[in-house]
Amino acid sequence: MTSKYERANASDGQSRIPDIVIGRLPIYLRSLKILLSQGQTVTNSQELGDRLGISSAQIRKDLSHFGEFGKQGTGYDVAYLCKQLEKILQVDCIWPVVLVGAGNLGHALASYAGFENRGFRIVGVFDNQPDKIGTHVGSLQVEPLTQLPAHVARHHCRIAILAVPTKAAQNVANLLVEIGIKSILCYAPITLNLPEGIRVEYIDPVIHFQHMTYYLEKDCLKT
Amino acid sequence: MTSKYERANASDGQSRIPDIVIGRLPIYLRSLKILLSQGQTVTNSQELGDRLGISSAQIRKDLSHFGEFGKQGTGYDVAYLCKQLEKILQVDCIWPVVLVGAGNLGHALASYAGFENRGFRIVGVFDNQPDKIGTHVGSLQVEPLTQLPAHVARHHCRIAILAVPTKAAQNVANLLVEIGIKSILCYAPITLNLPEGIRVEYIDPVIHFQHMTYYLEKDCLKT
DNA sequence: ATACATTTGTGCTAAAATACACAATGGAAT
DNA sequence: ATTCCATTGTGTATTTTAGCACAAATGTAT
């Protein structure tokens, strides 16, 4: 009795399902939840694809890696597919996340209300600048980095947000890995150098801007 | 006398250079600028690849789409390659950007000092909430949305940051397109529905989190 | 009951992206 | 001068990803 697929992970040399497919599932889930919130009970690969600018075949094939979730002639039950995707992505629960960096960005992230209903909760905010420690961000209080290891252990955190100044980012990342963090969302505009098995994703708006400008008619201020 | 490549754009049916290649150039540029700031004058595809977790062959092939920038046996002059990439990406100048949404995120973006030296400047912040209008974010003052069209025209803005609440995002995006914006960086967790030729890129941290959790050992709080 | 309209899941094909591997080149050392 | 070493740029092969197209299944209408 084997399951339809084996979960890919760091120790699993040959992941069965392409990462690019995994990367699309959260997009599908996000769109489905919007449909759900609008009271729509049924959808289909065509509709979903149109909304996302993805071909319907792509969506069907992606989903088919994990099982058969649709009904021929009808499509997909929105609530059911949501539930299934949440299970696949393991967001049918709340993951505790630590936030390092209590600057403007840290404040914005800590105050953001949209994490909770998508599977995540920021359980601690840390910074090393003395003037920040003790101040409130969202409903949390900024703690010194020395408190981080205990906090991560207590909450069993696997995920961290790195929102510190660029020059501090690599060192803080090293610390995060040391204390057991497995996945880092890095807002610093650098590529981190970390051991195998640690997953890092990056958010840098300038990367997106520079991608855009390639395609724009040039008509900007001279430096 | 034809140039080595024709620039891809919205009207150009067959873009010659894959978008995925364009998407990597800003990463290369970012890394090169760090090397430059550290005083390193020469690098090579191997070193760059190691830093970025990309194969050296990939980097060489990507660059080869645009010309021959290296020297055999030596590698690449860091400053020269930076300049070339900036020219290719059209960031050898400052692009004016308008920011819509003066919430926590808008504040963080407006206060961020890292845009200017990478080719971008936020030239206006707009919001419709009366209590926000007139307040200061960074060095700018929040203006009502009614001022947006004139502002975009005056500064020849082509790029906008969309940092408004989810429910307002589509409408504001439509407005942005109407007044001549060509590229939108959307922080709202939705997929926008916009006409052909408008480039939209998205930043949604939860998408990254959900990508990460697929690969994590499950060990999180039950809902 | 039967025919019809719809939509899935998937085998196969096509295209795109990546990796390999090496000739060509430039600089350094002898 | 010549040899040696390092590294590029690129033609080719391999792998990955996306798209096509249709049988199978399901519900609906007559």
Side-chain angles (χ1 to χ4, degrees), chain A residues 5-10 17-19 22-23 25-27 29-30 34 51-52 66 88-97 104-105 107-109 111-112 114-115 118-121 156 158-161 182-185 187-192 199-223, chain B residues 5-10 17-19 22-23 25-27 29-30 34 51-52 66 88-97 104-105 107-109 111-112 114-115 118-121 156 158-161 182-185 187-192 199-223:
Chain A
Y5 68 96
E6 308 254 331
R7 178 164 298 281
N9 64 36
I17 296 164
D19 185 64
I22 308 302
L25 300 185
I27 311 282
L29 177 57
R30 188 174 69 182
I34 291 171
R51 287 176 153 260
L52 299 175
F66 303 96
I88 292 164
L89 291 169
Q90 302 198 117
V91 289
D92 51 347
C93 63
I94 302 282
W95 291 85
V97 175
N104 286 310
L105 179 58
H107 273 262
L109 288 165
S111 314
Y112 180 56
F115 290 128
R118 296 171 72 194
F120 304 90
R121 179 184 300 154
H156 299 285
R158 298 283 174 277
I159 306 173
I161 305 177
K182 299 296 181 201
S183 297
I184 298 174
L185 181 58
Y187 279 85
I190 59 168
T191 300
L192 296 172
R199 188 171 190 95
V200 188
E201 307 228 352
Y202 298 91
I203 289 182
D204 177 357
V206 177
I207 296 292
H208 294 278
F209 287 150
Q210 293 184 342
H211 192 166
M212 290 167 169
T213 51
Y214 177 82
Y215 296 100
L216 285 172
E217 302 294 320
K218 188 148 175 183
D219 174 26
C220 54
L221 312 175
K222 278 289 150 207
T223 29
Chain B
Y5 68 99
E6 309 254 332
R7 178 164 300 280
N9 64 37
I17 296 164
D19 184 66
I22 307 303
L25 300 185
I27 310 282
L29 177 57
R30 189 174 68 182
I34 291 171
R51 288 178 152 257
L52 299 175
F66 303 95
I88 292 164
L89 290 169
Q90 301 196 119
V91 289
D92 51 346
C93 63
I94 303 280
W95 292 84
V97 174
N104 284 310
L105 178 59
H107 273 260
L109 288 165
S111 313
Y112 180 56
F115 290 128
R118 296 171 73 194
F120 303 90
R121 178 183 300 153
H156 301 286
R158 298 283 175 274
I159 304 173
I161 304 176
K182 299 294 181 202
S183 297
I184 297 174
L185 181 58
Y187 279 85
I190 57 168
T191 301
L192 296 172
R199 187 171 191 95
V200 188
E201 306 228 353
Y202 297 91
I203 288 181
D204 177 357
V206 177
I207 295 292
H208 294 277
F209 287 149
Q210 293 184 342
H211 192 165
M212 290 167 169
T213 51
Y214 177 82
Y215 296 99
L216 285 172
E217 302 295 320
K218 188 148 177 185
D219 174 26
C220 55
L221 312 174
K222 279 288 151 210
T223 30

Side-chain angles (χ1 to χ4, degrees), chain A residues 36-79:
Chain A
L36 192 63
S37 76
Q38 292 169 349
Q40 189 172 333
T41 59
V42 173
T43 186
N44 57 62
S45 60
Q46 182 70 53
E47 180 183 47
L48 207 49
D50 288 349
R51 287 176 153 260
L52 299 175
I54 291 177
S55 80
S56 62
Q58 178 84 83
I59 291 175
R60 293 199 302 277
K61 184 154 263 184
D62 284 352
L63 295 177
S64 76
H65 284 100
F66 303 96
E68 309 196 353
F69 304 122
K71 225 181 261 177
Q72 280 150 332
T74 306
Y76 301 92
D77 181 278
V78 177

Side-chain angles (χ1 to χ4, degrees), chain B residues 19-53:
Chain B
D19 184 66
I20 195 164
V21 172
I22 307 303
R24 279 190 294 261
L25 300 185
I27 310 282
Y28 301 163
L29 177 57
R30 189 174 68 182
S31 196
L32 287 164
K33 279 183 143 182
I34 291 171
L35 289 177
L36 193 62
S37 76
Q38 291 170 349
Q40 188 171 334
T41 58
V42 173
T43 187
N44 57 63
S45 59
Q46 183 70 53
E47 180 183 46
L48 207 48
D50 289 348
R51 288 178 152 257
L52 299 175

Side-chain angles (χ1 to χ4, degrees), chain B residues 60-91:
Chain B
R60 293 198 302 278
K61 186 152 261 186
D62 284 353
L63 295 177
S64 76
H65 283 101
F66 303 95
E68 310 195 353
F69 304 120
K71 227 181 261 180
Q72 281 149 333
T74 306
Y76 302 92
D77 181 279
V78 177
Y80 176 73
L81 187 51
C82 270
K83 278 264 188 301
Q84 293 304 308
L85 284 175
E86 287 177 343
K87 196 181 290 184
I88 292 164
L89 290 169
Q90 301 196 119
V91 289

